[in-house]
């Protein structure tokens, strides 16, 4: 193959590798794409010591190698975070992309309902905030928090014309409060 064909193949495989790594980071792919990574690595080293006389092709090669090097550093950092357990996969973005592609009205209402984990998270944060403010926690149940959230959610969604609402606990003037934030 000629230099131009090698550069085309390098660019195509690099694009595929970027997509495969993003799928791996989202949890779609179970394994890191190491075989494809090795192919791209070999192509990046092919003309490293020279061999390209055409300045346009040399420039294209250097740009591709720089792009690969940048992505390689990014991937190494993310893989290290995954191994350390400090990386949370961006399932939220993945769900948004899936929903935009093929969701009917019946499925949308299912996604807009609060997740039990969200209610438990807000409940635990609220109890911790009351404890931190030296306020009593007796008589506060997850059901109370759930009813308060369910009561406010449709009002906020209607008022701000949004698809969802995110709740969090803040302390204002020495008292814990549950704050809502519209999510589009």
């Amino acid at each position: 193959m000629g230099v131009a064909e090698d550069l085309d193949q390098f660019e195509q495989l690099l694009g595929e590798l970027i997509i495969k790594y993003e799928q791996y980071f989202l949890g779609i792919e179970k394994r890191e794409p190491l075989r494809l990574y090795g192919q791209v690595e070999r192509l990046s080293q092919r003309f490293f010591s020279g061999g390209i006389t055409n300045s346009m092709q040399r420039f294209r090669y250097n740009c591709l190698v720089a792009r690969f090097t940048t992505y390689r550093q990014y991937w190494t950092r993310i893989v290290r975070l995954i191994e350390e357990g400090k990386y949370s996969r961006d399932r939220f973005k993945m769900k948004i992309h899936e929903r935009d592609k093929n969701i009917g009205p019946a499925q949308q209402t299912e996604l807009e309902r609060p997740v039990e984990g969200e209610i438990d998270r807000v409940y635990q944060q609220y109890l911790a905030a009351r404890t931190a403010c030296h306020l009593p926690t007796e008589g506060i149940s997850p059901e109370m928090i759930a009813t308060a959230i369910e009561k406010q959610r449709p009002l906020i969604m209607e008022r701000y014309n949004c698809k969802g609402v995110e709740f969090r606990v803040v302390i204002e003037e020495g008292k814990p409060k549950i704050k809502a934030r519209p999510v589009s």
Side-chain angles (χ1 to χ4, degrees):
M1 277 200 274
V3 175
E5 290 84 14
D6 286 344
L7 292 178
D8 289 340
Q9 183 183 15
F10 182 25
E11 187 172 18
Q12 178 188 2
L13 289 178
L14 180 59
E16 289 177 22
L17 185 63
I18 291 168
I19 291 169
K20 290 290 185 188
Y21 262 104
E22 287 302 316
Q23 290 175 345
Y24 171 68
F25 294 148
L26 287 173
I28 297 170
E29 293 286 329
K30 301 298 180 196
R31 295 178 188 234
E32 195 174 347
L34 295 177
R35 182 177 292 153
L36 186 58
Y37 181 87
Q39 290 176 345
V40 174
E41 180 75 32
R42 281 190 297 281
L43 285 171
S44 73
Q45 296 295 321
R46 186 166 192 164
F47 299 108
F48 186 72
S49 61
I52 300 178
T53 55
N54 185 332
S55 60
M56 183 177 75
Q57 291 175 344
R58 184 74 181 164
F59 177 77
R60 183 176 174 206
Y61 168 75
N62 287 335
C63 287
L64 288 171
V65 169
R67 185 174 171 205
F68 176 60
T69 304
T70 303
Y71 272 108
R72 183 174 45 203
Q73 290 172 346
Y74 169 71
W75 295 329
T76 304
R77 182 174 54 87
I78 299 298
V79 167
R80 188 182 71 244
L81 289 174
I82 289 172
E83 289 172 353
E84 292 173 357
K86 297 178 182 176
Y87 182 75
S88 62
R89 301 188 192 277
D90 248 343
R91 296 187 188 277
F92 175 73
K93 287 182 183 178
M94 185 175 70
K95 286 181 183 176
I96 287 176
H97 292 297
E98 287 176 357
R99 183 176 55 189
D100 289 345
K101 287 181 185 175
N102 58 356
I103 284 197
Q107 292 172 333
Q108 273 186 337
T109 55
E110 183 179 86
L111 287 175
E112 291 169 357
R113 291 185 197 124
V115 179
E116 291 298 316
E118 179 187 20
I119 293 172
D120 291 337
R121 178 185 55 82
V122 172
Y123 174 70
Q124 295 299 326
Q125 288 177 354
Y126 189 73
L127 287 182
R130 286 190 67 88
T131 305
C133 293
H134 304 291
L135 295 172
T137 58
E138 302 87 30
I140 299 172
S141 67
E143 291 79 23
M144 290 174 57
I145 302 295
T147 54
I149 287 174
E150 287 304 314
K151 190 175 175 183
Q152 293 299 316
R153 184 180 304 271
L155 298 173
I156 293 170
M157 288 172 66
E158 182 180 337
R159 180 176 180 184
Y160 293 103
N161 194 23
C162 60
K163 295 181 181 177
V165 181
E166 180 181 279
F167 292 92
R168 60 187 171 93
V169 177
V170 296
I171 299 175
E172 290 182 357
E173 299 173 8
K175 293 184 180 182
K177 294 182 180 180
I178 299 174
K179 294 282 187 168
R181 187 179 73 129
V183 178
S184 16

